Amino acid sequence: MACTLVLWPFNKNLYRKINSYLAYSWWCHFTFLGQWWSGSECELYIDPSDLPYISNEHALVIMNHKYDIDWLMGWIIIERFGMLGGSKIYGKRNLMYIPILGWIWYLTESIFLKRHWSEDQKTLIHDVQQLTEFPERYWVTILLFCEGTRFTEEKHKISMEVADQKGLPRLRHHLLPRTKGFVLSLQAMKGKIPVIYDCTVGFRKDAAEPTLMNILNGRTCRAEMHVRRIPVEEIPYEDEEACSVWLHNLYQYKDKIFHEFTIKGRFEGLQKHKVPRRYWDLSIWIGWAVVLCTPLILYTMKIIREGSHLSNLLLLVAAFALTYVATRWSMGLSDIKKGSSYGKMK
């Protein structure tokens, strides 16, 4: 993928098209693990009139951040709508340095923030405006967790203390949203990204606990996603204070419907819709498995057949061990306990 960087000064659109295909070839390994390996499912609750718009416009997606794999459910859904190659994230800057995964996020123009407002303000304006220049028919979906970090009881306690100090209504299942970055993002997206998709994810209790390790172990998780399409023109983003109030009201609504979900085990008020799986991620995974695993299998058979030297056997064992450790470490990064601490942006 790094070789596509040379295209940037000469043909930015071609660079982005190539990176979209390359990004999809990577991200689809995660959706393969989710929907094919573990058999996990995510069903939408959505107004049927909103369905034709999905996969036909740039969008900013706002999602609650309560689970280890809420982001994976979002990826599974946008893969089924054919938008995975254009998916971007707002992430902490240290994620950029994660081997392979972080590098691909960086090369595919995700937005990385330091949580220092004086620096992040410039980054947001520059990076968001770059993304709004994405070529037509290559739709960009940008995922934003306005809470800034995953939900834990400890973080929730601190967040609600801040709510009391500011005279804001308490939330039961969410942290207070960070409003500055949201307002600035909408202002930078003006005229380019027409809608927000407000997504609230809940996991059913009659399936495996929603963790990436359970996905890797082939255990089925079942998610429900409440989705609303909100035109940006309905949001008072030109007025920072009014836009902040709008976002807080949005999270009060998200908190209300999520609380109902915890009681009833389903979302209400919108029609349930099952988006069918596509076979693209399965096909690509099989293709990569053949390309990468065939030489390894042949080499292993050669060692066994020839009774090769102990050093070769140890090298093979070490390679498997390193792969296992690297995989466990990567999976551990999604653990809620590994999330950032909650506090004010500097």
Side-chain angles (χ1 to χ4, degrees), residues 223-242:
E224 312 277 326
M225 184 182 293
H226 183 284
V227 179
R228 294 190 303 154
R229 180 180 180 273
I230 305 173
V232 170
E233 61 189 23
E234 297 179 4
I235 304 171
Y237 60 87
E238 298 283 8
D239 184 328
E240 181 176 346
E241 184 176 349

Side-chain angles (χ1 to χ4, degrees), residues 115-128:
R115 297 181 72 178
H116 291 265
W117 181 242
S118 59
E119 298 180 52
D120 290 343
Q121 188 173 8
K122 299 175 183 178
T123 301
L124 274 172
I125 294 174
H126 176 268
D127 288 4
V128 168

Side-chain angles (χ1 to χ4, degrees), residues 1 19-35 71-72 74-76 78-79 83-89 95 98-110 112 141 280-282 284-285 288:
M1 178 177 288
N19 269 7
S20 289
Y21 289 120
L22 292 175
Y24 179 78
S25 72
W26 173 256
W27 302 143
C28 70
H29 292 288
F30 288 92
T31 60
F32 163 80
L33 288 172
Q35 59 183 353
W71 57 272
L72 179 58
W75 274 3
I76 286 175
I78 64 175
E79 195 288 321
M83 300 179 69
L84 187 57
S87 64
K88 320 292 177 185
I89 66 163
L95 293 176
I98 298 173
I100 301 179
L101 181 61
W103 303 338
I104 293 176
W105 268 328
Y106 172 74
L107 291 173
T108 53
E109 301 178 79
S110 284
F112 293 96
T141 305
W280 284 99
D281 54 348
L282 176 62
I284 291 174
W285 188 90
W288 276 111

Side-chain angles (χ1 to χ4, degrees), residues 4 7-8 23 42 52 61 79 85 108 122 139 156 159 185 196 198 205 227 230 235 270 287 290 322 324 338 341:
T4 63
L7 295 171
W8 178 266
C42 183
V61 175
E79 195 288 321
T108 53
K122 299 175 183 178
W139 306 113
H156 182 251
S159 181
S185 294
I196 286 175
D198 169 35
K205 296 180 180 179
V227 179
I230 305 173
I235 304 171
L270 292 175
V290 171
L322 181 61
Y324 174 78
K338 300 291 180 64
S341 59

